[in-house]
Amino acid sequence: MSDPAFVYVIYIRTTPQKLWDALMDPDLRPKFWFGRRSESDWKTGSKHVLYAPDGSVDFQGEVLESDPPRLLRYTFETASPTTTVTYLLEPVQDSVRLTVTHDGFPDNSQQRKGVSNGWPSILSALKSLLETGEPTPQITG
């Protein structure tokens, strides 16, 4: 038995390409991802690393599927069991519906509790950044 997947849907007034570019941009990511910087070419089979603000490796993994600007799926490897993150970008009128699914958690996973707090803050900051030019302050807890 495992904990259910964490699924979060947010609508962002932008284009799929601009949203994709923001998600992949290593210089923009720190503005919406708690100061963390990424390193990857985001192609299927490539490795990716997310660095904490102090330069240490926060998590890493492998890109399982990349279909720009529609779908990205990668492993999320931390001290806990490896999980999987999927971004699905779907145009809806003048916006994009971004669905983030994070799954593969064992029962009573502390990691699932953490991402349940982290993803809404990250994605809200991303939405504000793309729509206004400024991210919202990131809230933890």
Side-chain angles (χ1 to χ4, degrees):
M1 191 72 155
S2 63
D3 273 0
F6 175 81
V7 180
Y8 194 83
V9 178
I10 191 166
Y11 290 82
I12 302 173
R13 188 171 299 219
T14 189
T15 66
Q17 189 62 55
K18 286 179 182 175
L19 177 54
W20 180 271
D21 291 345
L23 288 166
M24 304 306 128
D25 186 332
D27 296 321
L28 195 59
R29 185 173 288 241
K31 293 182 179 180
F32 65 87
W33 198 304
F34 298 105
R36 285 158 173 79
R37 183 174 295 292
S38 64
E39 185 177 287
S40 182
D41 65 8
W42 299 108
K43 295 179 182 174
T44 301
S46 294
K47 298 294 181 193
H48 70 88
V49 179
L50 190 74
Y51 295 97
D54 68 4
S56 65
V57 173
D58 194 20
F59 78 82
Q60 58 190 346
E62 179 182 346
V63 177
L64 302 172
E65 187 174 1
S66 182
D67 181 13
R70 191 186 70 78
L71 178 75
L72 179 71
R73 192 164 57 92
Y74 60 85
T75 59
F76 188 95
E77 300 170 13
T78 62
S80 300
T82 298
T83 56
T84 303
V85 174
T86 304
Y87 298 123
L88 178 62
L89 291 70
E90 301 169 287
V92 178
Q93 297 172 11
D94 65 345
S95 298
V96 179
R97 177 176 45 231
L98 172 60
T99 303
V100 174
T101 304
H102 197 149
D103 60 2
F105 303 104
D107 282 339
N108 301 312
S109 170
Q110 288 301 111
Q111 185 184 21
R112 187 184 189 288
K113 290 176 187 172
V115 302
S116 295
N117 289 322
W119 279 120
S121 184
I122 290 165
L123 297 174
S124 293
L126 173 62
K127 175 182 173 67
S128 293
L129 179 64
L130 289 173
E131 291 181 350
T132 71
E134 292 293 325
T136 55
Q138 295 189 309
I139 300 167
T140 59

